Structures are given as structure tokens and as C-alpha cells.
Amino acid sequence: MVTKPTSCTALSCPAVPLHNGLNIPILGLGTSHYGGYSHEAVLYALQECGIRHIDTAKRYGCEEALGKAVTESGVQREELWITTKLWPGDYGYQSTKQACRDSCARLGVDYLDLYLMHWPDSMVPGRSSQEVRLETWRALEELYDEGLCRAIGVSNFLIPHLNELKDCGGIVPHVNQVEFHPFQQPMKLVEHCRKENIVFEGYCPLAKGQALTHPHILELAKKYGRSASQICIRWSIQNGVVTIPKSTKPDRIYENCQVFGFTLTSEDMAYISDLHTNQKLIHLTFPIWKG
């Protein structure tokens, strides 16, 4: 039995401004496929922890279940920040528009707070990824103009992909969501996003649990009287990164929310930053396309 915590809303969870004037909560709850969704955990996050930012994707197969949890939670739609992602198999102008509407229907919402292209590479036979990317982005821009998406962005895009969209002269992505944890710190990409006024959002902040047993992280956890996961999440947030740890366990979600009552020193921030080894974990669960 998990002890009910003080609501996260009472902690005044900070938000990060997007270049269109909206604000995205700096801490959210991530979901995933292959057992990465729990109805109980989402309800707990919304009702007991005050989480208002939830990240999902068509690929994860839990949009419909998430929509039911949101309805059951009783939290008003306008209080929530819901992000979902467009799978490369749906890239293309018309298919993108239909996929967005389908995601809204599964989630039971009239609009998305943030809609992301899940990968830079496409799965459209006979067409270059660049051509399909630009066509897909044009569809996202129109969905944004129509109000179906309050913000639009990308995921796993590198600097050349971002420059490609910039050269088109349309809407600059509001967000780029990329793997970010102590062992994977793409700081050149982070700096580029900041220069272009693109909010950088990081997934896998705990390195799929691998960071939780690292001696440096454990040393700092002991020093601050915090858990290893709280050290990792706090480090990510102090880097100005929107952070979306995943968990299906209520007690872990509660633990992951308690990161606004302490601050890591600059020396300890650097201590964790020194752990960078360019280790990418995403290929363990997702294919990476070429093109």
C-alpha cells in the first residue's frame, strides 16, 4: 500500500515556455509499449501526485487506455498537457492528418497539447525520407493552424533534420524530444535547440534503470538523502530539460515527483555530466531506419 503524498501541484511544478507562448510542465509521466502502461499508475499520478503532463504515442498502443484513465481521474482537460506521437508508417500529408484525428479519438480529446513526429526517417516505400519529412511537417503545421494541435514538434531529430525544417521557412518545431540521461548527453543538440528556441525534452532519464546502480549516482543519493532516481531526474531538470520518467508503479511515480525540494550543486551537476559515454539505449526497443 502506497502512502498518499502531498499533491505535486502544491509543489508548483515549474513549466518551460514554448516559443508560441504556451508552457509545458518540466516534469511529466512517460508511457511506453511492452508493459509500459498501467491504468492504476496513471490514475495515481493524476489524482495523488498532481502530475498534469503525460507523454504517449500511437506506437505504444495505449492511447485508448490512457484516455479512459484521464476521464476516470476527474482532472479537467484544460489542466492537462497531453503529448502523443505520429508513427513513421503514417507519414505523408493526408495520412498524417488522419492519424492525428485517430489519436484524438482514441484519447477521447478534441485537441492535442503537443504532437510529435516520432522519428526523422520514414517508412514510405519509393520516396526519400527528406521528401516525406517535409510533406509530413506541412500537415502538422496545418493541424496546428486548425487548432487540433496546440503545439507541434519532433522526436529523435538531429541538427541537420532541424535545419531542414528551418530552411522551409515554416513553423519552427516547438519541441524536440530526444534520449537524455547521464550516459547520453547530446549537448551540441541541446545547445542548437536552445539557439533556435526549440524546447529540448528528454526521455529515458534513468537510462532504463542503468543509472540507478552507478556508484557516482549512489554516492550523490547518499549525500543528499535522496533516491538514485531523484538524483537523475533532478540533474536533468536542472539542465533545463523537460523530463518524462516512465514507471508503472505508484510508489516509484511518487518518488519521481519529489524532485523540487532540493538542488544539486554546480560541482555535483558536473560530476554527473562527466558520466557521458554516448551510450544510446533506444535501439534496444526501437528499430532505426536509414534513408
Side-chain angles (χ1 to χ4, degrees), residues 46-67:
L46 292 171
Q47 294 178 326
E48 308 295 348
C49 297
I51 285 289
R52 292 296 179 262
H53 173 186
I54 301 181
D55 179 275
T56 191
K58 177 186 177 179
R59 173 72 172 93
Y60 306 158
C62 59
E63 287 177 324
E64 187 172 359
L66 178 59

Side-chain angles (χ1 to χ4, degrees), residues 204-218:
C204 286
L206 310 181
K208 294 187 179 293
Q210 294 183 29
L212 304 184
T213 58
H214 193 282
H216 286 196
I217 301 296
L218 293 174

Side-chain angles (χ1 to χ4, degrees), residues 66-200:
L66 178 59
K68 291 178 180 176
V70 166
T71 299
E72 188 176 332
S73 74
V75 177
Q76 296 299 306
R77 174 66 184 94
E78 57 270 20
E79 294 181 32
L80 296 170
W81 183 280
I82 298 176
T83 298
T84 193
K85 307 177 196 75
L86 174 72
W87 189 241
D90 293 320
Y91 285 6
Y93 181 77
Q94 292 294 348
S95 52
T96 290
K97 289 198 165 186
Q98 186 60 49
C100 180
R101 292 182 170 86
D102 290 345
S103 281
C104 284
R106 285 189 293 269
L107 286 162
V109 298
D110 295 326
Y111 64 90
L112 302 172
D113 294 284
L114 178 61
Y115 198 38
L116 305 175
M117 291 178 64
H118 208 148
W119 286 96
D121 299 317
S122 73
M123 300 173 66
V124 180
R127 300 182 65 192
S128 71
S129 288
Q130 180 180 23
E131 178 186 5
V132 176
R133 269 195 300 273
L134 295 178
E135 181 181 295
T136 301
W137 187 248
R138 180 165 61 89
L140 260 68
E141 290 178 321
E142 292 184 10
L143 289 166
Y144 174 72
D145 289 339
E146 294 166 12
L148 200 59
C149 307
R150 297 178 71 221
I152 53 175
V154 294
S155 182
N156 302 300
F157 272 46
L158 303 177
I159 293 174
H161 304 128
L162 296 173
N163 285 337
E164 177 184 277
L165 296 182
K166 180 181 179 180
D167 290 343
C168 289
I171 298 172
V172 174
H174 298 108
V175 172
N176 186 18
Q177 186 186 112
V178 179
E179 182 178 343
F180 187 85
H181 51 76
F183 312 134
Q184 174 56 222
Q185 304 172 40
M187 296 312 295
K188 287 186 178 179
L189 179 58
V190 173
E191 292 165 6
H192 177 84
C193 287
R194 287 175 179 161
K195 177 184 175 184
E196 298 298 331
N197 211 11
I198 300 169
V199 168
F200 188 92

